[in-house]
Amino acid sequence: MAGRTVTDHLDRTVEYPYPPKRIVSLVPGITDTLFSLGLGNRVSGRTRFCVHPQGEVEGIPRVAGTKDLNLEKIRNVRPELILAEKEENTKEMVEQLEKEFPVYVFEIRSVHDAYNMINDLGDITGTSEKAETLIADIQAGFSRLPDFRGKRFAYCIWKKPYMVVGGDTYIQSVFELMGLVNAFSGFGDRYPSVTEEDFQMAGLDYLFLSTEPFPFNEEHVRKFASILPDVNVMLLNGEMLWYGPRMLEAAEYFSRVFMRV
């Protein structure tokens, strides 16, 4: 097996056996993408949050979380390449792992970055043709996203404190494709903490409550509807805002959900 040297999304030099036969993924969306590229038999380790594709990942050893790792379990699966992402994983995790293993770090802050991830993942694993097909299929679906041009939204991902998606994020990028304007994109942080008063003052047309990472439910929808009577409060499946193969489902999902608005 020949060695190969590449540059990752953080301009780090990564040398690894090509094509890699034993891959550890520390990112749910990237694990999902590996399977979509036909690489499930090469995935030797995953995080406990890597739950897609269901029915296929269950036999892969869980060796980490997205913010923590079990170094002994990772050593046991003998990875030839570890895949991480700048936001999903911590700098400390990468620094610890790169002492022993090749670690390729992606950075995904937009839909364009998600396409780059799929393309580059195809390149570093020798599956470029499948990656190109996946990208084309996603782009075709995204071209049919509904149009809500100029409507203001907030996308809430956490409670106590309330946290919303800010600017420079993949999630905002998806909603921008639908013409939606993020009311909290200028709050400074990429995931700012906000109050009920902030929601009331934001001039929202829509408040989206995500089912993950915090499991918002219909009870929370009713509460927000009572304090934001002029805002359309909706529960959204957070997995539809994952990058990777879930993007194939996202266009149909959003079209179906927003038909009821």
Side-chain angles (χ1 to χ4, degrees), residues 72-90:
E72 193 60 34
K73 287 185 177 180
I74 291 175
R75 287 174 179 150
N76 287 341
V77 300
R78 298 176 285 111
E80 296 178 347
L81 181 64
I82 296 177
L83 303 175
E85 198 276 330
K86 183 180 178 182
E87 178 181 289
E88 293 274 356
N89 309 124
T90 68

Side-chain angles (χ1 to χ4, degrees), residues 24-83:
V24 165
S25 171
L26 302 178
V27 188
I30 292 175
T31 302
D32 201 8
T33 306
L34 288 167
F35 275 84
S36 187
L37 297 180
L39 298 169
N41 61 344
R42 297 197 212 172
V43 181
S44 59
R46 63 181 172 108
T47 76
R48 57 185 175 272
F49 303 109
C50 296
V51 296
H52 289 295
Q54 292 181 3
E56 297 186 63
V57 297
E58 289 78 5
I60 308 298
R62 293 182 293 182
V63 298
T66 53
K67 307 298 183 187
D68 62 276
L69 55 85
N70 186 315
L71 192 55
E72 193 60 34
K73 287 185 177 180
I74 291 175
R75 287 174 179 150
N76 287 341
V77 300
R78 298 176 285 111
E80 296 178 347
L81 181 64
I82 296 177
L83 303 175

Side-chain angles (χ1 to χ4, degrees), residues 89-101:
N89 309 124
T90 68
K91 180 180 179 182
E92 290 74 21
M93 290 172 67
V94 173
E95 289 175 343
Q96 184 176 12
L97 289 168
E98 67 183 356
K99 294 175 182 177
E100 300 184 41
F101 310 103

Side-chain angles (χ1 to χ4, degrees), residues 75-261:
R75 287 174 179 150
N76 287 341
V77 300
R78 298 176 285 111
E80 296 178 347
L81 181 64
I82 296 177
L83 303 175
E85 198 276 330
K86 183 180 178 182
E87 178 181 289
E88 293 274 356
N89 309 124
T90 68
K91 180 180 179 182
E92 290 74 21
M93 290 172 67
V94 173
E95 289 175 343
Q96 184 176 12
L97 289 168
E98 67 183 356
K99 294 175 182 177
E100 300 184 41
F101 310 103
V103 182
Y104 188 106
V105 183
F106 296 91
E107 184 173 21
I108 304 165
R109 295 190 175 203
S110 68
V111 171
H112 178 72
D113 290 342
Y115 294 147
N116 284 342
M117 178 274 290
I118 297 169
N119 180 75
D120 294 343
L121 190 56
D123 175 64
I124 64 177
T125 59
T127 57
S128 289
E129 288 188 10
K130 291 181 179 179
E132 291 170 3
T133 298
L134 177 58
I135 292 169
D137 289 344
I138 293 170
Q139 290 175 328
F142 271 36
S143 70
R144 299 189 294 271
L145 284 170
D147 188 350
F148 290 88
R149 195 161 309 279
K151 299 295 185 180
R152 291 170 62 83
F153 81 97
Y155 185 83
C156 194
I157 60 172
W158 199 255
K159 186 174 183 285
K160 294 185 179 180
Y162 291 120
M163 294 178 67
V164 296
V165 167
D168 195 26
T169 59
Y170 169 76
I171 293 174
Q172 170 172 289
S173 181
V174 173
F175 286 120
E176 283 180 342
L177 290 178
M178 292 183 266
L180 288 157
V181 178
N182 187 351
F184 294 109
S185 62
F187 261 52
D189 293 338
R190 297 181 68 224
Y191 298 95
S193 298
V194 297
T195 65
E196 290 183 0
E197 290 74 19
D198 291 325
F199 286 122
Q200 291 170 325
M201 297 294 291
L204 297 175
D205 295 292
Y206 298 97
L207 173 60
F208 304 130
L209 303 180
S210 178
T211 57
E212 59 94 31
F214 183 86
F216 284 106
N217 57 41
E218 292 296 339
E219 180 180 343
H220 301 106
V221 172
R222 289 190 291 272
K223 176 184 176 181
F224 272 108
S226 68
I227 64 175
L228 300 169
D230 298 322
V231 177
N232 196 319
V233 183
M234 301 177 62
L235 193 67
L236 291 184
N237 181 352
E239 291 184 358
M240 294 298 99
L241 276 304
W242 287 18
Y243 44 79
R246 297 308 107 191
M247 297 168 77
L248 291 170
E249 300 177 39
E252 179 183 348
Y253 171 80
F254 287 123
S255 296
R256 183 175 68 252
V257 168
F258 290 141
M259 278 182 62
R260 302 196 295 267
V261 175

